Amino acid sequence: MKVIETFEDLGTSLEDEGVKLMKCEPNYNVWFDDGESFELSTDVARMKLEVEKWEGKDGFERYLGFLQEAHRHYEISVSQVLKKNFTSLLSMMRPAFLRHLLPLHPHESIYSRASKYFWTERLRRVFTFGSMYMGMSPFDAPGTYSLLQYTELAEGIWYPKGGFHTVIEALVRIGERLGVKYRLSSSVSSVELDPTGRNAMGIKLESGESISADVVVINADLVYAYNNLLPPSSYSRALQKRSASCSSISFYWAMDRQIPELTTHNIFLAEHYRESFDDIFKKQLIPSEPSFYVNVPSRIDPTAAPDGKDSIVVLVPVGHLLDEKQGMGRKGLDIHSKQDWDSMVAKARRTVFKTVEARTGAHNLQGALVKEMVNTPQSWKDVFNLDKGAILGLSHSFFNVLCFRPKTKHPSIERLHFVGASAHPGTGVPIVLAGAKLTSEQVLEGFGMDKPWGKGSFKGKGERTRDIDRIRVRPVMSNVYIALLALVLVLAGFVYRWT
C-alpha cells in the first residue's frame, strides 16, 4: 500500500503516527436497475458464490483468470511506470519496459478485456465501473487500468479512523518535526523567475510578499499553474486543449437517522451503462440517468456521525466544463454560461434519492437530510482552481500518459517541479504519492544529494533469510517428465535404427 510506503520512507509508520486503518468489508455493494445487487469482496469464498450465481462454475475460473491478468497489470505498472520517470520518448524505449508493453494491453479498453473473462453484461459492468476513479469511461480507458479492481480485490479497501484528513494531519506533524514551516491561507499569484526566465527564484503571494526559494515544487492543478502562475507559452495553451477527466456534482449529507440499507461503499449503475458514460465523456453533459457512488463513512467509523445518525458522501460523475472554443458546435457545460446550478443540483439530488430508495428499499431520504454541502463543476473550478472543473486532472488515454504526460520537472525552467494528478504518473492518492517520490528524487539529484530512503528488501533491512525461505527457481520439467522424455528419445532412436 503506497501510503504505508510513504510513511516508511519518512522514517515512521501510520501506527506510530496514531493513524488506525479499518478494513471495509465488503468492498462494495453494486446495485442494478432490476433490483439485483452484487457484493464485491476480498473474501474468495464470497466472491465464488457471487460470480457463480451469474456465470456458473466456469465463471469463477474465468474470474481467477481476470485477477491473474490484472495482477500482471499491477505489478508491471508499479515496477516499470510508477517508479520510473518518463522524461522523453526515448524513456519508453527501455527494453525492460518495451517487453512488457503488450501484456499491459494499453490499446484495448478495460471493457473489452473484461469481456474476455466475464460473459454476462452484469459482471462486465461490475468489473469495469472502477475506471470512473480515473475519470474515464470503461469503453475508452486502457485495459491496463484493470489494476484498479485488482488492488481492491487483492488488498482490500481501508479507511483511516477519523477520516482521510487524519493521514494529512500525520504528514503535517512529520513535516513539522523535520523543520517544515507551513504558510496557510497565503494565495500564490506567480512563480518568480530570474531575468533570463530559465531559473525559478521563488514565489510571489497575492499580498505582494515575495518568498525566495532554492527550488519551487507546485502541487496546484498543473494546467492552472502553467496558465496562471507562469508566463504564457505555446505549451501552456496546448495543455488546455488536452482531453481532461470528468467533473462531478458531489453531495455531503448529514442525516438525522441511520440508513441501514446502505453499506460503507455503494455503486449504483445506470440501466443504459454505455450511454451514460457517453453523455459524460463524449458529450460533456450531465447524464439523464447517471451511474453514481455513495459512501457512508459512519457505517465503519462511528466518529463520522453522532450516535444513531449517518454521514453520506455522493459523487455523481458529469462532464467537465467547456470553454468557448471547445463548446462551438457542441453540447456541453459551457465554462462562461450563467447556468442554473441550483436547478441542476436539485435534479441530481432527486435522481439520487429516487434511485437509492427504489433499489435498496430505503425510505424518505429527503426527510432525513438535515445539512448539505455541494460541489459542482463550477465550484471545482472556482474554489479549487481545477481547470475545466475536471476533478481528476488530465485524462489517462494512451497519449496522455508515460512520456506524453506533463513532466515532474519543467522542461525549460530549472529548479521548478510539479506533483499532482496531471503530472506523471497520474491521478489518485497512491499514484500521486508515487509521483511525489519521483519528484523528490529529482530535486535531490539536482542538488547532488543522496536519497534518504533505501530500496527495501524482501525480508526487511538487516534480516537474514533462512534457508527454508530462500526463493528457488522451479525446474522447467520435473524428474518424472525428464525420465519419460529420455525414454521416448531412446525408443525413437531404436525405431529410427530399425527402419
Side-chain angles (χ1 to χ4, degrees):
M1 191 182 294
K2 194 65 192 177
V3 175
I4 293 175
E5 179 184 324
T6 297
F7 277 74
E8 290 175 348
D9 287 339
L10 293 169
T12 183
S13 67
L14 287 166
E15 294 79 9
D16 290 345
E17 299 302 327
V19 179
K20 179 183 178 182
L21 296 180
M22 299 181 291
K23 189 173 187 295
C24 300
E25 186 60 48
N27 286 357
Y28 297 96
N29 270 14
V30 183
W31 302 88
F32 294 90
D33 69 288
D34 60 2
E36 298 287 354
S37 65
F38 189 102
E39 189 176 84
L40 283 164
S41 172
T42 55
D43 187 323
V44 176
R46 293 171 77 173
M47 286 300 293
K48 186 174 187 293
L49 290 173
E50 287 287 307
V51 172
E52 289 181 352
K53 176 181 177 181
W54 302 106
E55 300 217 351
K57 297 294 183 183
D58 292 343
F60 183 67
E61 185 174 346
R62 294 195 300 273
Y63 165 71
L64 295 177
F66 171 79
L67 277 186
Q68 184 180 45
E69 177 177 293
H71 169 77
R72 285 197 300 271
H73 289 168
Y74 173 76
E75 294 296 342
I76 294 171
S77 296
V78 168
S79 62
Q80 300 300 323
V81 179
L82 298 188
K83 295 185 176 181
K84 307 288 184 182
N85 237 323
F86 289 77
T87 56
S88 68
L89 190 59
L90 289 176
S91 303
M92 292 179 62
M93 299 297 108
R94 289 183 287 106
F97 174 74
L98 286 177
R99 71 186 180 91
H100 290 304
L101 188 58
L102 289 180
L104 285 173
H105 302 106
H107 298 299
E108 294 182 73
S109 71
I110 289 179
Y111 188 86
S112 68
R113 291 307 305 172
S115 297
K116 298 180 186 301
Y117 297 98
F118 303 108
W119 294 356
T120 63
E121 178 62 21
R122 188 181 304 275
L123 264 61
R124 289 173 181 176
R125 296 181 181 190
V126 165
F127 291 97
T128 60
F129 73 80
S131 66
M132 288 193 292
Y133 300 144
M134 302 293 289
M136 295 188 72
S137 164
F139 300 95
D140 298 320
T144 311
Y145 294 124
S146 65
L147 62 86
L148 297 169
Q149 281 84 356
Y150 168 78
T151 56
E152 294 179 343
L153 291 167
E155 299 179 357
I157 298 176
W158 297 80
Y159 180 90
K161 186 175 181 179
F164 194 79
H165 207 267
T166 60
V167 177
I168 298 172
E169 291 168 349
L171 290 171
V172 169
R173 290 194 299 271
I174 295 168
E176 289 174 337
R177 289 203 303 267
L178 296 173
V180 176
K181 294 182 180 179
Y182 298 94
R183 292 278 300 268
L184 305 179
S185 301
S186 303
S187 299
V188 177
S189 62
S190 64
V191 174
E192 295 195 317
L193 309 178
D194 71 357
T196 68
R198 300 187 62 83
N199 292 281
M201 304 297 290
I203 58 172
K204 187 172 185 178
L205 305 183
E206 287 187 352
S207 64
E209 178 185 359
S210 292
I211 301 175
S212 61
D214 295 320
V215 62
V216 175
V217 180
I218 298 176
N219 72 339
D221 180 79
L222 183 140
V223 180
Y224 167 84
Y226 264 96
N227 283 276
N228 293 274
L229 304 182
L230 294 168
S233 66
S234 58
Y235 183 67
S236 65
R237 292 188 290 274
L239 284 174
Q240 290 185 310
K241 298 177 183 178
R242 290 203 186 189
S243 59
S245 60
C246 65
S247 189
S248 76
I249 293 176
S250 295
F251 297 100
Y252 312 88
W253 290 335
M255 314 297 280
D256 67 1
R257 59 180 171 83
Q258 291 186 336
I259 315 298
E261 294 83 1
L262 293 173
T263 55
T264 305
H265 297 286
N266 307 267
I267 296 289
F268 293 83
L269 296 180
E271 178 183 3
H272 302 291
Y273 189 63
R274 183 164 194 154
E275 290 82 354
S276 70
F277 282 112
D278 285 347
D279 280 347
I280 298 169
F281 296 102
K282 294 187 184 303
K283 302 175 184 176
Q284 305 303 330
L285 294 169
I286 299 175
S288 57
E289 183 207 8
S291 296
F292 59 90
Y293 163 70
V294 177
N295 171 227
V296 189
S298 49
R299 191 64 69 249
I300 188 172
D301 181 6
T303 67
D307 290 343
K309 305 180 190 305
D310 266 338
S311 56
I312 297 179
V313 179
V314 181
L315 189 152
V316 182
V318 301
H320 63 64
L321 299 169
L322 299 174
D323 61 24
E324 288 178 341
K325 292 181 180 178
Q326 289 176 311
M328 289 178 65
R330 293 178 57 183
K331 293 183 178 180
L333 306 181
D334 185 350
I335 202 169
H336 297 297
S337 69
K338 302 295 183 183
Q339 302 208 43
D340 185 357
W341 287 110
D342 289 342
S343 175
M344 293 182 182
V345 166
K347 181 180 178 181
R349 186 190 303 109
R350 287 194 302 270
T351 299
V352 170
F353 283 158
K354 180 181 177 181
T355 304
V356 172
E357 290 174 354
R359 299 188 188 183
T360 71
H363 65 281
N364 193 22
L365 295 179
Q366 178 70 67
L369 178 61
V370 293
K371 180 70 175 178
E372 176 184 76
M373 294 175 59
V374 183
N375 272 314
T376 68
Q378 196 66 51
S379 65
W380 289 122
K381 176 182 179 292
D382 295 341
V383 179
F384 299 94
N385 293 328
L386 301 182
D387 185 63
K388 303 182 187 72
I391 57 174
L392 297 164
L394 293 174
S395 169
H396 288 75
S397 55
F398 182 75
F399 289 104
N400 245 352
V401 295
L402 303 173
C403 69
F404 306 109
R405 200 165 189 82
K407 311 298 184 288
T408 54
K409 183 179 182 297
H410 195 283
S412 61
I413 300 175
E414 292 299 315
R415 299 192 175 182
L416 178 58
H417 299 260
F418 300 89
V419 66
S422 290
H424 175 76
T427 195
V429 171
I431 299 175
V432 167
L433 286 174
K437 190 170 183 176
L438 292 173
T439 301
S440 299
E441 290 172 352
Q442 273 189 329
V443 172
L444 292 169
E445 183 181 336
F447 287 96
M449 300 171 67
D450 294 329
K451 295 179 291 185
W453 45 82
K455 295 181 179 179
S457 64
F458 185 74
K459 289 294 291 180
K461 297 179 181 178
E463 291 189 37
R464 183 179 178 182
T465 303
R466 297 177 180 178
D467 187 62
I468 196 173
D469 298 318
R470 293 187 186 281
I471 297 175
R472 295 175 172 84
V473 179
R474 188 183 68 181
V476 176
M477 294 186 291
S478 68
N479 291 335
V480 174
Y481 283 113
I482 292 173
L484 287 173
L485 180 61
L487 180 60
V488 168
L489 290 174
V490 169
L491 291 174
F494 276 117
V495 171
Y496 177 78
R497 181 176 179 182
W498 288 106
T499 56

